[in-house]
């Protein structure tokens, strides 16, 4: 018997979890399709990752024209690569213009979601109380849970510790001894911003990154005027950026060949920016470019080469009082330790909150095999659950917003089917899901992400790539243009409404 409290906050046709790019995009398309829904957002603001990440220098390394919704282009971008405040402002404006804001319940975190096979509903526990929904769209974001490594003695460290995604804006690094752990996309943006302020900066590098020249520039006022007057021009620029990435960058990543040009560009950049041969050797990666996300920046390497920076390549053994200690026994004093250590992606704990029809959580299912789904969107045994930016929807060469947008017609198609055909449960067939994942893995086999000789967040603990879409992204969009009901088991509603069965 269902807990009647799940009705206290009301029942919704659809509950959307998260108000980032995914949740906002979903809400817009659901509203256009006339589907009733609510968005639950744990923060007090929209934006998702672009609200959470406020570290100095936070910027998108995908061109702005492409890193935005196709239906809401922004002629006002101030730079070809936008900074976080401007992306957040864009998302807030879109959410306001399209009426999404009114449908968001802020400060409301979903703590559990359980499929109830009696009522054919999702029963949710939230920090604002219980509720229920016919369908659930999880747009919780796959880069939303900070990975915080454990170091011996960290509990008694006397300095401040900050993860890049949990930045304390009131902390001033001016005149401080700062340690940064990590050399990924976040670190290369933080380091150049804090190096001029810090008294001493230590960058702890476990793996050198491939640093490419950054091509960003301010967008001129005549360009703004042109985009305002001629939206088709901005669409053309967007299309050029999109197809350049698809046809010039993706093929190299997919076949792990023709990466020499990228390697040469990065090595030339390194040579031009770091005169010291010994330092250059430390900064030269030993794996194939593209295996980890390529990081474009013009000011990271000069910041590493600056007089007040030390690049530490010895492994960290622990923390002691106000010191960080490395394997060679050297102790360095720190006022603040910045963890630019990335996110829990393949071991994200949010799926542990979602329980399917057989009583197992999505986390348990993924732990017993590997993270996977169908079309990156649905999961066998989890009826009426749709995930945005789910397994194997990640990309290393273009915009995730494109992938999220590609999922929306599919999700809306499924929800329309539920509503219009009197269907109460859609559950993807396990054989369809299995052969889909075989296809994905086959295509990934020769890719640089799998063969490039690095360990990255793209791979799970079994070494399986459960994050990247291994083909042209327009093929993903084509696949998901139509909801393929034949791939699903469906249950038609009984003559008595489910709510009446339980509560009547
Ligand atoms: P990341 O790429 O996963 O990098 C984490 C860094 O921390 C790596 O250098 C890693 O070293 C190091 N690290 C982790 N644990 C460590 C430990 N115990 N000891 C020493 N070093 C340790 O994380 P990120 O930089 O936050 O980026 C994550 C993703 O967020 C990116 O790939 C990208 O998709 C997204 N992002 C995007 C942008 C953008 O511009 N669009 C900006 C920031 C982030 P190893 O390499 O040796 O593992």
């Amino acid at each position: 018997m269902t807990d009647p409290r799940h009705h206290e906050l009301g029942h919704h046709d659809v509950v959307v979890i998260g108000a980032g790019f995914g949740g906002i995009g979903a809400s817009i398309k659901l509203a256009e399709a006339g589907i009733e829904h609510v968005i639950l957002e744990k923060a007090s603001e929209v934006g998702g990752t672009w609200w959470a990440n406020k570290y100095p220098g936070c910027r998108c390394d995908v061109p702005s024209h492409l890193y935005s919704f196709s239906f809401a282009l922004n002629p006002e971008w101030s730079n070809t690569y936008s900074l976080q405040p401007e992306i957040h402002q864009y998302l807030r404006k879109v959410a306001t213009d399209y009426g999404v804001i009114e449908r968001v319940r802020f400060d409301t975190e979903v703590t559990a979601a359980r499929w109830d096979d009696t009522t054919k509903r999702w029963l949710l526990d939230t920090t604002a109380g219980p509720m229920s929904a016919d369908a659930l769209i999880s747009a919780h974001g796959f880069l939303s849970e900070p990975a915080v490594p454990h170091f011996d003695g960290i509990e008694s460290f006397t300095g401040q510790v900050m993860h890049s995604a949990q930045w304390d804006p009131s902390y001033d690094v001016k005149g401080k001894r700062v340690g940064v752990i990590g050399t990924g996309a976040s670190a290369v943006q933080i380091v150049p911003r804090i190096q001029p302020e810090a008294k001493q900066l230590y960058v702890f590098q476990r793996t050198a990154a491939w640093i490419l020249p950054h091509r960003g520039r301010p967008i001129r006022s005549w360009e703004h005027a042109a985009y305002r007057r001629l939206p088709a021009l901005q669409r053309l620029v967007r299309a050029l950026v999109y197809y350049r990435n698809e046809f010039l960058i993706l093929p190299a990543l997919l076949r792990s060949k023709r990466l020499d040009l990228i390697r040469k560009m990065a090595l030339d950049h390194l040579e031009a920016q770091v005169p010291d041969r010994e330092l250059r050797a430390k900064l030269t990666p030993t794996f194939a470019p593209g295996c980890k996300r390529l990081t474009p920046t013009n000011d990271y390497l000069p910041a590493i080469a600056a007089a007040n920076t030390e690049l530490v390549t010895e492994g960290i053994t622990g923390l002691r009082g106000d010191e960080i200690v490395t394997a060679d026994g050297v102790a360095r004093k720190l006022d603040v330790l910045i963890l630019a250590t990335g996110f829990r992606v393949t071991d994200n704990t949010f799926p542990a909150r979602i329980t399917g029809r057989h009583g197992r959580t999505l986390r348990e299912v993924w732990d017993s095999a590997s993270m996977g789904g169908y079309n990156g969107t649905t999961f066998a045994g989890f009826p009426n659950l749709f995930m945005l930016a789910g397994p194997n929807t990640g990309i290393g060469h273009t915009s995730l917003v494109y992938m999220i947008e590609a999922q929306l017609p599919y999700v809306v198609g499924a929800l329309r089917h539920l509503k219009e055909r009197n269907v109460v449960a859609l559950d993807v067939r396990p054989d369809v899901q299995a052969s889909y994942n075989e296809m994905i893995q086959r295509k990934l086999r020769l890719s640089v992400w799998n063969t490039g000789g690095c360990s990255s967040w793209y791979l799970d603990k079994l070494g399986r790539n459960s994050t990247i879409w291994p083909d042209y992204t327009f093929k993903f969009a084509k696949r998901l243009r139509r909801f393929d009901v034949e791939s699903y088991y469906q249950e038609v509603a009984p003559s008595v409404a489910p709510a009446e069965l339980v509560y009547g």
Side-chain angles (χ1 to χ4, degrees):
M1 181 76 175
T2 307
D3 183 348
R5 287 176 310 140
H6 282 107
H7 264 335
E8 278 172 18
L9 279 189
H11 175 80
H12 295 275
D13 287 357
V14 180
V15 164
V16 179
I17 303 173
F21 263 107
I24 292 171
S27 179
I28 291 169
K29 295 298 164 188
L30 292 180
E32 280 173 10
I35 298 170
E36 188 276 331
H37 64 281
V38 67
I39 308 169
L40 307 181
E41 169 54 58
K42 68 179 177 189
S44 50
E45 181 51 85
V46 296
T49 194
W50 294 106
W51 174 242
N53 282 268
K54 299 188 189 81
Y55 59 77
C58 184
R59 168 189 290 259
C60 186
D61 57 17
V62 178
S64 312
H65 293 312
L66 191 54
Y67 201 79
S68 37
F69 291 118
S70 63
F71 54 83
L73 295 190
N74 175 19
E76 312 301 335
W77 291 121
S78 64
N79 197 289
T80 51
Y81 293 81
S82 303
L83 286 161
Q84 172 267 336
E86 203 172 347
I87 302 175
H88 174 251
Q89 214 180 349
Y90 164 79
L91 276 171
R92 182 153 242 290
K93 181 171 185 320
V94 171
T96 307
D97 290 352
Y98 285 82
V100 172
I101 293 278
E102 289 114 64
R103 299 190 283 275
V104 184
R105 291 211 186 132
F106 291 105
D107 305 304
T108 304
E109 183 169 353
V110 174
T111 52
R114 182 170 58 84
W115 173 255
D116 180 13
D117 230 358
T118 315
T119 56
K120 310 293 176 198
R121 285 178 168 181
W122 282 97
L123 306 179
L124 290 99
D125 290 330
T126 81
T127 48
M131 64 175 79
S132 61
D134 293 336
L136 198 57
I137 299 179
S138 188
H140 64 279
F142 69 79
L143 292 169
S144 55
E145 188 177 354
V148 179
H150 178 75
F151 295 109
D152 283 346
I154 194 148
E155 312 76 24
S156 50
F157 178 61
T158 53
Q160 177 141 351
V161 180
M162 274 190 282
H163 189 278
S164 56
Q166 294 163 332
W167 195 266
D168 174 0
S170 68
Y171 191 86
D172 188 1
V173 297
K174 207 176 174 75
K176 300 278 177 23
R177 296 161 303 181
V178 185
V180 175
I181 301 182
T183 55
S186 302
V188 303
Q189 295 179 340
I190 296 170
V191 164
R193 289 291 292 272
I194 58 174
Q195 173 269 320
E197 303 277 306
K199 180 175 161 205
Q200 174 68 46
L201 174 63
Y202 301 106
V203 177
F204 294 89
Q205 171 187 286
R206 191 163 63 181
T207 310
W210 283 104
I211 308 287
L212 288 171
H214 197 283
R215 310 282 185 210
R217 61 162 181 86
I219 296 181
R220 299 167 194 104
S221 53
W222 66 262
E223 291 173 283
H224 289 136
Y227 293 147
R228 258 178 245 132
R229 195 163 312 156
L230 291 170
L233 179 66
Q234 194 174 14
R235 281 199 292 276
L236 176 68
V237 175
R238 176 185 164 100
L240 291 174
V241 173
Y242 172 77
Y243 285 109
R244 180 201 61 190
N245 289 2
E246 291 296 307
F247 293 121
L248 289 185
I249 305 175
L250 180 68
L253 301 175
L254 278 180
R255 280 179 280 289
S256 215
K257 281 184 183 164
R258 299 198 303 269
L259 291 167
D260 294 350
L261 189 64
I262 299 175
R263 185 180 283 108
K264 183 170 178 334
M265 257 165 66
L267 292 178
D268 288 351
H269 191 48
L270 177 62
E271 186 150 357
Q273 294 206 309
V274 180
D276 183 318
R277 184 189 292 259
E278 210 174 303
L279 184 58
R280 268 207 315 269
K282 283 186 178 180
L283 288 164
T284 305
T286 53
F287 57 91
C291 182
K292 288 169 184 274
R293 191 183 178 87
L294 294 163
T295 39
T297 157
N298 296 338
D299 44 16
Y300 173 72
L301 293 169
I304 294 289
N308 65 336
T309 305
E310 184 190 348
L311 182 72
V312 183
T313 52
E314 285 288 333
I316 299 161
T317 51
L319 295 153
R320 195 173 58 198
D322 65 348
E323 294 175 337
I324 184 162
V325 185
T326 44
D328 52 2
V330 176
R332 292 169 177 87
K333 287 191 183 300
L334 295 182
D335 297 304
V336 59
L337 178 61
I338 294 164
L339 303 174
T341 45
F343 298 87
R344 297 183 66 168
V345 183
T346 55
D347 62 342
N348 191 289
T349 61
F350 192 79
R353 303 182 191 187
I354 302 176
T355 305
R357 70 172 0 145
H358 303 300
R360 294 174 78 203
T361 68
L362 195 53
R363 186 67 269 158
E364 285 168 334
V365 172
W366 286 350
D367 282 346
S368 65
S370 193
M371 191 166 96
Y374 177 59
N375 284 340
T377 311
T378 53
F379 310 92
F382 294 79
N384 301 359
L385 169 68
F386 305 91
M387 191 176 285
L388 299 177
N392 294 104
T393 60
I395 27 74
H397 68 290
T398 187
S399 167
L400 188 66
V401 182
Y402 179 91
M403 297 299 276
I404 289 170
E405 239 187 283
Q407 291 182 274
L408 298 177
Y410 192 79
V411 176
V412 169
L415 295 172
R416 274 210 163 116
H417 185 86
L418 280 174
K419 213 172 161 184
E420 291 165 8
R421 304 293 169 95
N422 215 21
V423 171
V424 286
L426 282 167
D427 194 358
V428 65
R429 286 171 32 201
D431 58 319
V432 171
Q433 181 172 317
S435 57
Y436 175 80
N437 283 298
E438 277 162 28
M439 177 274 288
I440 295 273
Q441 293 307 317
R442 201 171 48 248
K443 289 191 173 200
L444 279 166
R445 214 160 34 87
L446 297 179
S447 74
V448 71
W449 306 294
N450 286 34
T451 62
C454 73
S455 78
S456 73
W457 62 260
Y458 300 146
L459 308 178
D460 61 24
K461 60 178 190 291
L462 303 174
R464 184 176 172 279
N465 189 329
S466 44
T467 53
I468 295 277
W469 167 252
D471 209 335
Y472 295 108
T473 57
F474 51 78
K475 287 196 182 172
F476 182 76
K478 187 166 177 245
R479 247 195 107 85
L480 276 79
R481 205 167 289 156
R482 181 186 77 86
F483 176 66
D484 50 342
V485 67
E486 62 281 6
S487 301
Y488 288 76
Y489 294 127
Q490 45 180 336
E491 288 176 59
V492 177
S495 50
V496 185
E500 288 177 61
L501 270 177
V502 174
Y503 300 110

